[in-house]
DNA sequence: CCCGACCGTTGCACATGTTGCAATGGCCAT
DNA sequence: ATGGCCATTGCAACATGTGCAACGGTCGGG
């Protein structure tokens, strides 16, 4: 494990939400300012950080460049993008695409329909496995032994009164999803937000991706939300067909 | 300048377009595999890199997370997003938002209308100063001395037969833009692509951002493209108003 | 099944790259 | 003009990163 690299990456993290001065960065790293200055010179030279004329540092365009190149290289995301958009337009709600990777599910695309509202999700953000539609939809169709291992490893943070909090309850929910063919998050992650989500199978029949429609309980009743399931499943099937 | 940090960042760059093996990464860095392995352990532990069960490395979700947090913290981008979208819907073409930063213009938002086609631009990518509409629109409204300095510093790569290739011609073009109030890229960067672009002023009256509509010469004639200028300028003005 | 080739990882010693200190120069407010 | 704060740079000490060698795992061929 490289201490110096860890420090540089911590700088990137620290600058993600807000620009900072050298002093703030040095304090954050618990290093001398001269050390922080040299680290910043390196990350700045490679475009990962920019500083303005008042010596305030913020993340630079290189990071955006890498991130969007990565997104552009994701086959499933590329194939799914026009369908997400169409789904968002048809439903006017927020549509997500998530991927299971290294034991967590990450949002890799999002389309906000005309009536969508602000919610937790953002591209690059982890979707908690036990209480988000997209994560549940993916996990339900993973191999048995993997489902069991993951269920034991989850920290069952209760986000709302309705959040699933035990491995047994979670595995039961995954069984219901397998039977039904799609997942429902019924205010388990955020109060007033519910969603339906479907798995997307790869050409090899493996499920690593999921597609969801999220909305507020004020916008759509549970009944209305469930009425979107056929469209959702059809969209997932269309994406699967395009994947080959 | 930190050598070790530079190596780690080079790894991130190397993995942006394609997953790689440890050996490929070590070769790329010209270091021993054990050194590369340890560097990778660090960037992996912080989520910047992921590896699969066949020991193939690729960029991880942390980078996406940072990139989208950065985008969410850009006031102008946030304010402009719904307007970009509306403009894309109204025109059916590709709409861009760029920002001048550290002597280069970077695309920070993009909306593809229903008739848009693939083109060079991507969020995070630099827009060449001398031949893209959005960059020219920004530079035209920078302070005099800055315009002059930047014009001298540009490497006038001739992307097409129509690309501006001298500082004098470039400064003349910027004068025309100042007079007209908006910029035109007439196949100067990509054959068959033309666009109109407008500056976006900050509340302090400073121009660091620009908005453009890009399309193919097959989709819209020059005349039709120019007919979009009023809508473009009106959209820029609306964004400016929202910025306060 | 055995062997060889290739892979990635880890302990080790040591070379070198990183670090904090002190000095310097710049900027701003009094 | 002065003092305080800032960031940067030269220096030398030393902590950490490095390559080597050994190891264990996997795969393909005989």
């Amino acid at each position: 494990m490289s201490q110096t690299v860890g420090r540089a990456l911590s700088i990137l993290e620290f600058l993600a939400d807000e620009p900072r001065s050298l002093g703030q960065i040095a304090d954050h790293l618990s290093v001398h300012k001269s050390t922080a200055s040299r680290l910043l010179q390196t990350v700045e030279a490679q475009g990962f950080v920019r500083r303005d004329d008042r010596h305030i540092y913020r993340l630079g365009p290189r990071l955006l460049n890498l991130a969007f190149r990565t997104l552009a290289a994701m086959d499933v995301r590329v194939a799914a993008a026009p369908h997400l958009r169409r789904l968002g337009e048809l439903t006017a709600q927020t549509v997500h695409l998530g991927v299971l990777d290294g034991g967590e599910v990450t949002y890799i695309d999002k389309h906000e329909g005309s009536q969508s509202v602000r919610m937790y999700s953002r591209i690059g953000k982890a979707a908690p496995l036990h209480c988000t539609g997209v994560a549940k939809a993916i996990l339900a169709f993973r191999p048995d032994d993997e489902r069991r291992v993951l269920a034991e490893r989850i920290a069952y943070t209760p986000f709302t009164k309705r959040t699933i909090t035990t491995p047994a309850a979670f595995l039961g929910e995954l069984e219901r999803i397998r039977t039904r063919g799609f997942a429902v998050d019924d205010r388990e992650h955020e109060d007033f937000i519910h969603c339906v989500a479907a798995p997307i199978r790869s050409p090899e029949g493996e499920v690593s991706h999921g597609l969801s429609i999220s909305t507020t309980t004020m916008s759509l009743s549970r009944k209305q939300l469930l009425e979107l399931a056929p469209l959702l499943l059809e969209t997932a099937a269309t994406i699967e067909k395009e994947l080959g």
Side-chain angles (χ1 to χ4, degrees), chain A:
Chain A
M1 294 292 254
S2 164
Q3 185 180 68
T4 302
V5 169
R7 283 182 178 149
L9 298 180
S10 292
I11 288 173
L12 299 184
E13 289 275 1
F14 192 48
L15 293 178
D17 295 318
E18 190 181 341
R20 311 275 190 179
S21 66
L22 174 68
Q24 288 175 309
I25 294 164
D27 287 346
H28 182 70
L29 295 182
S30 302
V31 296
H32 194 270
K33 277 199 284 191
S34 64
T35 297
S37 180
R38 291 199 193 88
L39 289 172
L40 281 158
Q41 281 174 17
T42 306
V43 291
E44 187 182 357
Q46 296 206 31
F48 285 86
V49 164
R50 283 265 193 262
R51 76 176 154 173
D52 64 27
D53 45 8
R54 283 169 302 122
H55 288 294
I56 300 296
Y57 294 90
R58 64 187 187 283
L59 291 182
R62 204 72 209 154
L63 217 97
L64 293 182
N65 188 291
L66 296 190
F68 280 84
R69 277 158 70 190
T70 293
L71 291 175
M74 294 180 177
D75 295 341
V76 178
R77 187 183 191 271
V78 171
H83 303 287
L84 255 77
R85 180 200 188 123
R86 177 172 156 266
L87 201 50
E89 281 163 3
L90 286 180
T91 63
Q93 310 307 330
T94 301
V95 180
H96 296 102
L97 178 66
V99 64
L100 174 67
D101 184 5
E104 63 178 13
V105 169
T106 302
Y107 295 109
I108 58 168
D109 208 355
K110 177 176 181 176
H111 187 90
E112 296 184 326
S114 57
Q115 281 177 39
S116 57
V117 298
R118 280 298 166 104
M119 57 186 68
Y120 161 89
S121 64
R122 184 168 56 201
I123 296 177
K125 218 166 185 178
L129 297 186
H130 63 298
C131 57
T132 56
V134 72
K136 293 195 295 183
I138 295 169
L139 264 62
F141 296 92
R142 295 300 298 177
D144 279 4
D145 51 338
E146 187 183 337
R147 279 205 311 277
R148 256 185 261 114
V149 168
L150 284 174
E152 293 299 332
R153 277 188 4 206
I154 292 172
Y156 288 87
T157 309
F159 290 97
T160 74
K161 284 201 290 277
R162 304 181 57 93
T163 311
I164 288 168
T165 54
T166 67
F170 186 60
L171 287 170
E173 171 71 355
L174 296 188
E175 266 324 298
R176 278 188 293 277
I177 292 163
R178 291 176 66 86
T179 301
R180 195 166 48 196
F182 63 92
V184 181
D185 160 14
D186 189 2
R187 292 161 288 163
E188 291 155 48
H189 181 223
E190 299 181 75
D191 288 319
F192 309 120
I193 302 279
H194 54 176
C195 86
V196 285
I200 298 174
R201 285 166 185 84
S202 71
E204 295 79 41
E206 203 176 85
V207 173
S208 298
H209 294 81
L211 176 66
S212 71
I213 305 171
S214 302
T215 187
T216 61
T217 49
M218 283 77 80
S219 301
L220 297 186
S221 69
R222 180 184 170 93
K223 184 168 184 298
Q224 287 169 320
L225 179 71
L226 290 178
E227 277 162 6
L228 295 178
L231 175 62
L232 176 76
L233 289 165
E234 179 196 317
T235 304
T238 303
I239 294 168
E240 287 169 1
K241 214 168 299 162
E242 282 192 29
L243 292 175

